[in-house]
Amino acid sequence: MMHVLPFLFYEFFFTGLFSIGGGLATIPFLQQMSARHGWLTQHELANMIAIAETAPGPHGTNMAAFVGKHVAGFPGAALAAFALMLPTMIIDTIIASMLDRFRQNRVKDALMRVLRPTSAGLIAAAVVVFLQIALASMDANWALRNIAAWAGYFDWWAVGLFVVLLALLFTPKIKKIHPAAFIAVGAGAGIALGLG
């Protein structure tokens, strides 16, 4: 277990440094990390994302703690969560000390113009990964050029549940229902349909 801790620290420090846009932006990094080290299967990654999204607290930190716990127990959970947050703490401390001086700085404005689309791109990639994980069959072989085989790529119960809940979210009377109710309905339906 102890030999894994330096790798956990490095991977999550790197993820925290470059996952611009918050918790969802960490998902592509987690997928690559899992492929590189074999720490999580696709199924475990999907479950981890679902749990992290429904649990209170920052999604990225929840996911880091989940992976760390899975790989190296409680020390791994604490180290992974700390490593993910450390770059933000360092950068925020530096920026906070210089913010007043650079409030109207052209370099800062140019940097922000680059970071906004970068953040949007990482979140868009996370959405694609998340939809693939959530809606695809676990044994899907994504040969996207073979359009005829696309029907076999999806778990159609999961797709149906997604479409129904998405439609309900945009129904005016249902929009007033607390999001926790949707989480509970989705979890209950997933368990009932054996989607987990």
Side-chain angles (χ1 to χ4, degrees):
M1 175 182 84
M2 297 307 283
H3 68 283
V4 172
L5 293 178
F7 292 106
L8 268 176
F9 182 86
Y10 168 78
E11 289 287 0
F12 282 101
F13 185 86
F14 181 85
T15 300
L17 190 59
F18 291 105
S19 59
I20 301 163
L24 287 177
T26 63
I27 293 174
F29 290 92
L30 292 171
Q31 190 178 40
Q32 289 179 355
M33 192 184 307
S34 295
R36 236 185 342 266
H37 298 288
W39 288 341
L40 296 170
T41 65
Q42 282 290 99
H43 186 70
E44 289 168 332
L45 183 64
N47 289 340
M48 186 248 339
I49 292 169
I51 291 167
E53 289 288 326
T54 56
H59 304 144
T61 308
N62 289 346
M63 290 186 279
F66 184 95
V67 174
K69 168 91 171 61
H70 184 75
V71 172
F74 181 76
L79 183 69
F82 174 72
L84 184 77
M85 294 184 296
L86 185 59
T88 302
M89 291 188 288
I90 293 168
I91 292 168
D92 284 354
T93 302
I94 293 168
I95 289 175
S97 67
M98 302 185 317
L99 192 60
D100 286 335
R101 204 171 354 149
F102 292 104
R103 195 169 296 278
Q104 300 297 327
N105 186 293
R106 287 189 318 204
V107 174
K108 186 245 343 164
D109 292 340
L111 181 63
M112 293 310 292
R113 279 195 299 274
V114 171
L115 289 179
R116 286 184 196 115
T118 302
S119 175
L122 283 170
I123 292 171
V127 168
V128 169
V129 168
F130 189 68
L131 287 174
Q132 182 180 342
I133 289 170
L135 303 179
S137 299
M138 285 299 163
D139 57 350
N141 181 11
W142 287 86
L144 295 179
R145 291 190 179 119
N146 185 2
I147 295 173
W150 280 21
Y153 292 155
F154 296 99
D155 181 340
W156 292 104
W157 283 107
V159 171
L161 179 61
F162 171 75
V163 169
V164 168
L165 289 175
L166 187 64
L168 287 174
L169 276 172
F170 292 102
T171 305
K173 288 184 180 179
I174 300 215
K175 276 177 124 174
K176 297 176 184 174
I177 297 174
H178 196 278
F182 285 99
I183 292 169
V185 168
I191 291 167
L193 297 172
L195 299 177

